[in-house]
Amino acid sequence: MKEMDFDWIVTGDLGDFGSRMLRELADEGGMDLEDRHMDCGSMIFSPQQGYHCGGSGCGCSAVLLAGYVLPQIERGAVKRVLFLSTGALMSPLSACQGESIPGIAHGISLVYEE
């Protein structure tokens, strides 16, 4: 499957910075996500709140999936959604040691069927 097979590609909480980075990397790989990528964290938080990509990926994903994405699919407003519940694997130990924080993403394809 390709990105064009999906109406929406939804990530958990990349925030504005991570979303820009994703689109740049996708562009370099020949994929166009501009009109189909949505980020749960960016949709929930406004720039004025200053969350700076610091929402909870699993929390943002759950809220938007249950409250927005699934109702849109049930109505048939969108037919195919790639839902990537992105998040960080936080460890107090690695943060104290100045190490990088690994990320994870579980991807599911949601399809509207009549």
Side-chain angles (χ1 to χ4, degrees), residues 65-79:
L65 179 63
Y68 183 71
V69 175
L70 289 177
Q72 294 294 323
I73 293 171
E74 289 172 348
R75 282 198 292 275
V78 292
K79 306 289 185 193

PDB file of all heavy atoms in Angstrom, residues 65-79:
ATOM      1  N   LEU A  65      -9.034   9.232  18.304  1.00  0.00           N
ATOM      2  CA  LEU A  65      -9.581   8.041  17.659  1.00  0.00           C
ATOM      3  C   LEU A  65     -11.046   7.857  18.040  1.00  0.00           C
ATOM      4  O   LEU A  65     -11.910   7.717  17.172  1.00  0.00           O
ATOM      5  CB  LEU A  65      -8.783   6.794  18.034  1.00  0.00           C
ATOM      6  CG  LEU A  65      -9.281   5.480  17.421  1.00  0.00           C
ATOM      7  CD1 LEU A  65      -9.183   5.507  15.903  1.00  0.00           C
ATOM      8  CD2 LEU A  65      -8.512   4.301  17.989  1.00  0.00           C
ATOM      9  N   ALA A  66     -11.327   7.899  19.335  1.00  0.00           N
ATOM     10  CA  ALA A  66     -12.701   7.677  19.806  1.00  0.00           C
ATOM     11  C   ALA A  66     -13.607   8.865  19.519  1.00  0.00           C
ATOM     12  O   ALA A  66     -14.782   8.691  19.184  1.00  0.00           O
ATOM     13  CB  ALA A  66     -12.699   7.374  21.306  1.00  0.00           C
ATOM     14  N   GLY A  67     -13.091  10.069  19.654  1.00  0.00           N
ATOM     15  CA  GLY A  67     -13.938  11.254  19.553  1.00  0.00           C
ATOM     16  C   GLY A  67     -14.065  11.862  18.176  1.00  0.00           C
ATOM     17  O   GLY A  67     -15.005  12.620  17.914  1.00  0.00           O
ATOM     18  N   TYR A  68     -13.132  11.542  17.258  1.00  0.00           N
ATOM     19  CA  TYR A  68     -13.175  12.198  15.955  1.00  0.00           C
ATOM     20  C   TYR A  68     -13.018  11.217  14.787  1.00  0.00           C
ATOM     21  O   TYR A  68     -13.841  11.198  13.879  1.00  0.00           O
ATOM     22  CB  TYR A  68     -12.092  13.279  15.871  1.00  0.00           C
ATOM     23  CG  TYR A  68     -12.120  14.057  14.591  1.00  0.00           C
ATOM     24  CD1 TYR A  68     -13.150  14.955  14.323  1.00  0.00           C
ATOM     25  CD2 TYR A  68     -11.135  13.896  13.630  1.00  0.00           C
ATOM     26  CE1 TYR A  68     -13.184  15.663  13.134  1.00  0.00           C
ATOM     27  CE2 TYR A  68     -11.159  14.597  12.442  1.00  0.00           C
ATOM     28  CZ  TYR A  68     -12.183  15.477  12.199  1.00  0.00           C
ATOM     29  OH  TYR A  68     -12.229  16.176  11.024  1.00  0.00           O
ATOM     30  N   VAL A  69     -11.973  10.404  14.809  1.00  0.00           N
ATOM     31  CA  VAL A  69     -11.664   9.552  13.658  1.00  0.00           C
ATOM     32  C   VAL A  69     -12.737   8.485  13.436  1.00  0.00           C
ATOM     33  O   VAL A  69     -13.282   8.359  12.332  1.00  0.00           O
ATOM     34  CB  VAL A  69     -10.263   8.909  13.805  1.00  0.00           C
ATOM     35  CG1 VAL A  69      -9.998   7.935  12.678  1.00  0.00           C
ATOM     36  CG2 VAL A  69      -9.183   9.995  13.838  1.00  0.00           C
ATOM     37  N   LEU A  70     -13.043   7.709  14.462  1.00  0.00           N
ATOM     38  CA  LEU A  70     -14.054   6.645  14.290  1.00  0.00           C
ATOM     39  C   LEU A  70     -15.432   7.187  13.895  1.00  0.00           C
ATOM     40  O   LEU A  70     -16.070   6.612  13.002  1.00  0.00           O
ATOM     41  CB  LEU A  70     -14.143   5.778  15.542  1.00  0.00           C
ATOM     42  CG  LEU A  70     -12.936   4.864  15.785  1.00  0.00           C
ATOM     43  CD1 LEU A  70     -13.097   4.092  17.094  1.00  0.00           C
ATOM     44  CD2 LEU A  70     -12.686   3.931  14.621  1.00  0.00           C
ATOM     45  N   PRO A  71     -15.917   8.283  14.500  1.00  0.00           N
ATOM     46  CA  PRO A  71     -17.192   8.824  14.027  1.00  0.00           C
ATOM     47  C   PRO A  71     -17.162   9.243  12.551  1.00  0.00           C
ATOM     48  O   PRO A  71     -18.151   9.064  11.835  1.00  0.00           O
ATOM     49  CB  PRO A  71     -17.430  10.032  14.942  1.00  0.00           C
ATOM     50  CG  PRO A  71     -16.726   9.682  16.209  1.00  0.00           C
ATOM     51  CD  PRO A  71     -15.493   8.944  15.751  1.00  0.00           C
ATOM     52  N   GLN A  72     -16.028   9.762  12.075  1.00  0.00           N
ATOM     53  CA  GLN A  72     -15.918  10.140  10.662  1.00  0.00           C
ATOM     54  C   GLN A  72     -15.969   8.903   9.758  1.00  0.00           C
ATOM     55  O   GLN A  72     -16.575   8.927   8.691  1.00  0.00           O
ATOM     56  CB  GLN A  72     -14.616  10.912  10.415  1.00  0.00           C
ATOM     57  CG  GLN A  72     -14.558  12.255  11.099  1.00  0.00           C
ATOM     58  CD  GLN A  72     -15.572  13.231  10.544  1.00  0.00           C
ATOM     59  OE1 GLN A  72     -15.851  13.259   9.346  1.00  0.00           O
ATOM     60  NE2 GLN A  72     -16.138  14.044  11.411  1.00  0.00           N
ATOM     61  N   ILE A  73     -15.339   7.817  10.215  1.00  0.00           N
ATOM     62  CA  ILE A  73     -15.371   6.568   9.444  1.00  0.00           C
ATOM     63  C   ILE A  73     -16.785   5.981   9.460  1.00  0.00           C
ATOM     64  O   ILE A  73     -17.301   5.551   8.427  1.00  0.00           O
ATOM     65  CB  ILE A  73     -14.345   5.557  10.003  1.00  0.00           C
ATOM     66  CG1 ILE A  73     -12.918   6.070   9.777  1.00  0.00           C
ATOM     67  CG2 ILE A  73     -14.528   4.185   9.352  1.00  0.00           C
ATOM     68  CD1 ILE A  73     -11.849   5.269  10.478  1.00  0.00           C
ATOM     69  N   GLU A  74     -17.425   5.968  10.628  1.00  0.00           N
ATOM     70  CA  GLU A  74     -18.784   5.420  10.736  1.00  0.00           C
ATOM     71  C   GLU A  74     -19.768   6.140   9.826  1.00  0.00           C
ATOM     72  O   GLU A  74     -20.680   5.540   9.281  1.00  0.00           O
ATOM     73  CB  GLU A  74     -19.263   5.489  12.185  1.00  0.00           C
ATOM     74  CG  GLU A  74     -18.563   4.501  13.089  1.00  0.00           C
ATOM     75  CD  GLU A  74     -18.886   4.702  14.562  1.00  0.00           C
ATOM     76  OE1 GLU A  74     -19.472   5.754  14.932  1.00  0.00           O
ATOM     77  OE2 GLU A  74     -18.547   3.802  15.345  1.00  0.00           O
ATOM     78  N   ARG A  75     -19.590   7.457   9.666  1.00  0.00           N
ATOM     79  CA  ARG A  75     -20.456   8.243   8.782  1.00  0.00           C
ATOM     80  C   ARG A  75     -20.104   8.062   7.310  1.00  0.00           C
ATOM     81  O   ARG A  75     -20.822   8.511   6.435  1.00  0.00           O
ATOM     82  CB  ARG A  75     -20.356   9.726   9.139  1.00  0.00           C
ATOM     83  CG  ARG A  75     -21.140  10.121  10.346  1.00  0.00           C
ATOM     84  CD  ARG A  75     -21.358  11.631  10.402  1.00  0.00           C
ATOM     85  NE  ARG A  75     -20.134  12.376  10.635  1.00  0.00           N
ATOM     86  CZ  ARG A  75     -19.612  12.616  11.824  1.00  0.00           C
ATOM     87  NH1 ARG A  75     -20.192  12.153  12.906  1.00  0.00           N
ATOM     88  NH2 ARG A  75     -18.513  13.316  11.938  1.00  0.00           N
ATOM     89  N   GLY A  76     -18.951   7.464   7.044  1.00  0.00           N
ATOM     90  CA  GLY A  76     -18.511   7.307   5.658  1.00  0.00           C
ATOM     91  C   GLY A  76     -17.848   8.543   5.103  1.00  0.00           C
ATOM     92  O   GLY A  76     -17.601   8.626   3.898  1.00  0.00           O
ATOM     93  N   ALA A  77     -17.519   9.514   5.974  1.00  0.00           N
ATOM     94  CA  ALA A  77     -16.860  10.740   5.520  1.00  0.00           C
ATOM     95  C   ALA A  77     -15.442  10.449   5.030  1.00  0.00           C
ATOM     96  O   ALA A  77     -14.929  11.138   4.143  1.00  0.00           O
ATOM     97  CB  ALA A  77     -16.835  11.780   6.640  1.00  0.00           C
ATOM     98  N   VAL A  78     -14.804   9.454   5.626  1.00  0.00           N
ATOM     99  CA  VAL A  78     -13.509   8.964   5.163  1.00  0.00           C
ATOM    100  C   VAL A  78     -13.613   7.446   5.042  1.00  0.00           C
ATOM    101  O   VAL A  78     -14.350   6.811   5.788  1.00  0.00           O
ATOM    102  CB  VAL A  78     -12.336   9.367   6.092  1.00  0.00           C
ATOM    103  CG1 VAL A  78     -12.075  10.848   6.051  1.00  0.00           C
ATOM    104  CG2 VAL A  78     -12.571   8.900   7.506  1.00  0.00           C
ATOM    105  N   LYS A  79     -12.895   6.896   4.093  1.00  0.00           N
ATOM    106  CA  LYS A  79     -13.014   5.456   3.814  1.00  0.00           C
ATOM    107  C   LYS A  79     -11.835   4.649   4.347  1.00  0.00           C
ATOM    108  O   LYS A  79     -11.998   3.522   4.757  1.00  0.00           O
ATOM    109  CB  LYS A  79     -13.115   5.215   2.303  1.00  0.00           C
ATOM    110  CG  LYS A  79     -14.220   6.001   1.625  1.00  0.00           C
ATOM    111  CD  LYS A  79     -15.578   5.484   1.976  1.00  0.00           C
ATOM    112  CE  LYS A  79     -16.629   6.233   1.158  1.00  0.00           C
ATOM    113  NZ  LYS A  79     -17.951   6.021   1.616  1.00  0.00           N
TER     114      LYS A  79
END
